[in-house]
Structures are given as C-alpha cells and as structure tokens.
Amino acid sequence: RRSSSRSIKRKKFDDELVESSLKKTAKKIASANEIAAIPQVVIKDKKVLIVSINNNIHDPIAPCRSHTMKNLGRWKPADDLALISAVQQTNDLAAVHLAVKFSCRFTLRDIEERWYSLLYDPVISKLAISAIKPLHPDTIAAAQNNALWSKEEQQLLGGITSVNSPSLDVFKQMLMDNADTFHTSRTPKTLYNHWLLMRQYRLLPDQLVELSGKRETISFSDVERELDDEELTENRDEILDNEIAIAHRKSKLQIKKLETELPKWQEILDKIYDDDTPTFDFDSDTLAVLRGRLVRYFIRKKEVTFGRAATDGDIDIDLSIEGPAWKVSRLHGYIKLKPDGTFHVKNEGRRPVYIDGKPVTTGSRSTLPNNCTFEVCGLKFIFLISKTTVAKACNDPGQ
C-alpha cells in the first residue's frame, strides 16, 4: 500500500504535451488580465483618486460612507443633538457612551463612527444638520437640559462647601460671573439641584477624605502587593470541622423531626379554630369575623364592602381604623356569602388582595376559607367563620 499522495512521474505522450502547453498559455493570459485590472492611483487637483481600467474615478471614503449610510436610520435627529451637546461638554466619547441615554442602544464603536462621520463626512454632516433644524423647540430644550456636566462646571460648584445653605441668588451670581464656562441651558435652579446631588453623594471638595502619608489614594493592586499570602492560608482544624459536621447533622435530624410532627399540630389547630362556640368572637347574628391586630370587624350581612372610608362614599368595613390605609382603595372589594355556605371575595381595587399569600388581582374572585389570612396593602387579618350562623342563614333564604 502506497503511503504517499504524490502521483508517479512518467513520460507524457504527444497529445498530453500539447494539452499542458495550452494550459500554461491560458495561465499567462489570465495573469496579464489581472495585472491590467489593478486600479491605478492618480493625483488630480491635489486629491488622491483611484482610476480603474475603465477610467472610472472612485471616492476613497466611499466604503466608509456606505457603511455609515447603512446605519443612518438608527440615528435620530435627537440622538445627533444629544451626541453633539455631550461631546462639547466632556470631550470624552467613553463618558458619553456611559452617561447619555439615546433612543436605542449604541455601542462605543457606533458612537465613535457617528461622531467622526459628523466631523469629517460633509454628506452625513449636512444631512444631520438639516434633520436637527426642524426639531420641536421642546425636544431641543430637553436635549440641552440633559447635557452632561463638564469638569469646569463641577469645579465651580465645588467652591460652595457642604456646610453652607446657599440660596438661588448665589447660583444666579455664579452663572452671571461664569457665563462662558456654564452651558447655555443652565439656570440657577439646575445649578442648585446639581450641587445638592454632589453634596448627597459626597463629591464636594470639602467632603473628600484625605489620607495621611505621601500617597493620596491606594489602589487595589497596591494593597494586594502588601498582603502576605502566608497570613491568608490557615491550617484546617480537623477536630473543629468534625464537630461542625456533627452539629449540622443533628440540626438536620431535628428539622426532619419537626416536619413530621407538623401535620399533627395542624390538626390540633384546625380543631381549635373549627369550634363553633367561641363566644369572644361570635354571637347569634355574626356570620364571620375579620380580626386584625387592633380591630375586629363583625360581618352580619351576606354581602359587605371593604376599603377606605371617604366623604363621598360609604363602606361596611373601614380598614383605615386598623392602621395606615392610604394605599387602600375607597371601594377595594366585596365579601359575599354564597348559598352553598362559602364566602367569596372580589377585588375591585388597584392593588391585589392576598388570601393565604396568594394574590387576588383586580377583577378576580377567590374563596375565603375559615381561619385564612386576609391581607390588603400591608394590613393583615384573620378571617373566621361561624358555621352555625352560616348554616342557619343559608337554610333561611329570607334572612
């Protein structure tokens, strides 16, 4: 078996010699055509132009312009205005990419290409300017008001210490004295609000903590070099690890034991709360009780409303008596006794009602079982049913 892939050399016959000579001639002709097809560089009127074999002149920035024109639809006039305003303030495209919110998500490369196109491409620049001019004045004002703050502006605002309580007149005078530094859209109110933000985030010069020593700041790399790796590695204590493992195992066994006993305790609680004779909550006319931390609401009708009392409406259960109920709607929902002896709740408020932790959204209904939790906007209650009174009410339709 041959291991080589090369063909075995042999003498060629006359017809094969003629074919090989024709192939060589065709290759020479093709190479000559390729050389003739190479475009030539011509200097005309102090401009570098590319001339092909057909003497067609090509623009050297045409590929770049075609790529920019392809992505032109993503850039809105408002985006161009925000880009121009931000770069004029910071002169940092990376900061513009991180801080400015455009109409869609642009990468740093997209922002760089767009900015260089606005600078050096007259076609793109002319199109962008013509699209910015007809913008609504409110759109232009919003883009200028959201312009980034330059370092010079923040340095001037940092001249006011954090212990002072300046008035708007101070910022008005600062704006008049430094009109060339501040952006044209700045007002005394915007200066005051930005100064408050700087004070809140401790960016004022008098709020910065100065470190003692020659170095003013310490980087993570400096701290890492000062650490000793031997101090970080500690020998493991096998006895301590064994004790911790035993304690974890005992805790798991205790939890498992409690989980097995949980159904028994649940049966005891059900027997306690299913008793129909607790006189402290029910009387002969009470169908159910909505018991809160401070107030007990006795339900003596088959259908009651609950919510927050107001001057223009009347409800049966005013939840504002229990606690802060400013999030509760004025008519938050209904509690209704069905003919089969079950209670249902219907939510009509903006926020959900939670029955045993399950949300009942706006317009939805849910059953109210005995001894369930009833929560509305942070106000928690226990819903208790008097089965004897409910059975009597269901047997007597006229009640």
Side-chain angles (χ1 to χ4, degrees):
R1 185 174 62 87
R2 283 176 51 84
S3 60
S4 176
S5 61
R6 293 183 299 175
S7 60
I8 300 174
K9 292 183 179 180
R10 60 181 180 82
K11 294 182 178 181
K12 295 182 179 180
F13 296 100
D14 294 338
D15 54 350
E16 292 179 346
L17 292 173
V18 173
E19 290 177 359
S20 62
S21 63
L22 292 175
K23 290 180 180 178
K24 292 179 180 179
T25 306
K27 288 182 179 179
K28 291 180 180 180
I29 295 172
S31 61
N33 292 333
E34 291 177 357
I35 293 173
I38 296 175
Q40 300 176 358
V41 178
V42 179
I43 300 176
K44 183 178 181 181
D45 295 334
K46 296 182 180 181
K47 293 182 181 180
V48 179
L49 304 177
I50 300 175
V51 182
S52 63
I53 55 174
N54 296 326
N55 294 328
N56 293 329
I57 299 177
H58 299 276
D59 191 353
I61 61 172
C64 180
R65 181 181 295 144
S66 62
H67 177 70
T68 308
M69 293 294 291
K70 183 179 180 181
N71 296 328
L72 183 61
R74 297 180 58 195
W75 284 91
K76 305 297 186 294
D79 296 335
D80 290 334
L81 182 60
L83 176 61
I84 294 170
S85 301
V87 175
Q88 288 177 350
Q89 286 294 105
T90 60
N91 296 326
D92 189 356
L93 292 177
V96 173
H97 171 250
L98 294 175
V100 179
K101 185 177 181 181
F102 296 102
S103 61
C104 61
R105 186 175 181 180
F106 295 110
T107 62
L108 179 58
R109 184 178 178 182
D110 294 337
I111 293 174
E112 290 177 351
E113 290 180 355
R114 184 62 177 178
W115 176 248
Y116 295 145
S117 298
L118 293 175
L119 282 180
Y120 303 115
D121 195 331
V123 178
I124 300 298
S125 178
K126 186 175 181 180
L127 290 175
I129 293 173
S130 61
I132 291 173
K133 286 182 178 179
L135 285 177
H136 195 272
D138 295 339
T139 305
I140 297 175
Q144 292 180 350
N145 291 334
N146 295 328
L148 301 180
W149 292 79
S150 62
K151 294 181 180 179
E152 293 77 9
E153 291 177 334
Q154 294 185 0
Q155 288 176 358
L156 291 175
L157 292 177
I160 303 175
T161 59
S162 59
V163 296
N164 295 336
S165 297
S167 60
L168 288 178
D169 296 334
V170 176
F171 296 99
K172 184 178 180 180
Q173 185 65 32
M174 181 185 295
L175 188 61
M176 293 173 60
D177 297 339
N178 303 278
D180 297 336
T181 304
F182 287 104
H183 194 268
T184 55
S185 63
R186 307 296 188 210
T187 60
K189 185 66 175 177
T190 56
L191 296 182
Y192 177 67
N193 292 334
H194 192 72
W195 180 83
L196 290 178
L197 288 176
M198 293 177 65
R199 188 179 67 175
Q200 178 182 355
Y201 292 104
R202 305 187 65 82
L203 298 177
L204 296 175
D206 61 323
Q207 293 177 322
L208 299 178
V209 179
E210 295 183 359
L211 300 177
S212 60
K214 296 181 180 180
R215 293 182 302 177
E216 296 182 356
T217 57
I218 300 177
S219 62
F220 288 104
S221 58
D222 297 335
V223 177
E224 187 178 4
R225 283 194 297 268
E226 293 178 0
L227 290 176
D228 189 2
D229 295 339
E230 295 180 357
E231 296 179 358
L232 299 177
T233 58
E234 298 179 357
N235 296 327
R236 298 182 62 84
D237 192 349
E238 296 181 359
I239 299 175
L240 181 60
D241 294 342
N242 190 18
E243 292 180 357
I244 293 174
I246 293 172
H248 287 175
R249 184 172 181 178
K250 289 182 179 179
S251 300
K252 291 180 181 179
L253 291 176
Q254 187 70 18
I255 293 172
K256 188 175 182 180
K257 183 179 179 180
L258 293 174
E259 288 178 351
T260 55
E261 294 178 355
L262 186 61
K264 299 178 183 179
W265 291 103
Q266 187 65 39
E267 291 178 1
I268 295 173
L269 290 175
D270 292 341
K271 289 180 181 179
I272 293 174
Y273 286 103
D274 286 343
D275 190 5
D276 293 332
T277 60
T279 56
F280 60 90
D281 275 341
F282 303 109
D283 53 23
S284 59
D285 297 329
T286 302
L287 298 174
V289 173
L290 195 64
R291 187 172 65 184
R293 186 172 58 89
L294 302 175
V295 184
R296 296 175 184 173
Y297 300 97
F298 294 89
I299 300 175
R300 294 187 173 94
K301 297 189 297 184
K302 292 186 177 181
E303 183 175 358
V304 295
T305 59
F306 63 93
R308 174 168 51 87
T311 56
D312 57 347
D314 190 15
I315 55 174
D316 299 320
I317 299 176
D318 183 11
L319 299 180
S320 61
I321 304 175
E322 171 67 17
W326 59 275
K327 292 184 180 181
V328 180
S329 301
R330 296 179 181 179
L331 177 59
H332 208 97
Y334 300 89
I335 296 177
K336 186 177 182 180
L337 176 63
K338 296 291 184 179
D340 57 354
T342 60
F343 281 87
H344 289 255
V345 60
K346 182 180 179 182
N347 185 11
E348 296 288 348
R350 294 182 179 180
R351 292 175 173 83
V353 177
Y354 294 91
I355 308 299
D356 286 336
K358 298 180 180 179
V360 181
T361 56
T362 305
S364 303
R365 301 173 184 267
S366 177
T367 58
L368 285 173
N370 184 32
N371 193 30
C372 68
T373 59
F374 185 91
E375 182 178 354
V376 182
C377 300
L379 302 176
K380 295 183 179 180
F381 304 89
I382 300 295
F383 186 76
L384 301 174
I385 301 174
S386 177
K387 293 187 177 180
T388 303
T389 311
V390 168
K392 188 186 300 183
C394 292
N395 294 330
D396 186 5
Q399 186 176 356

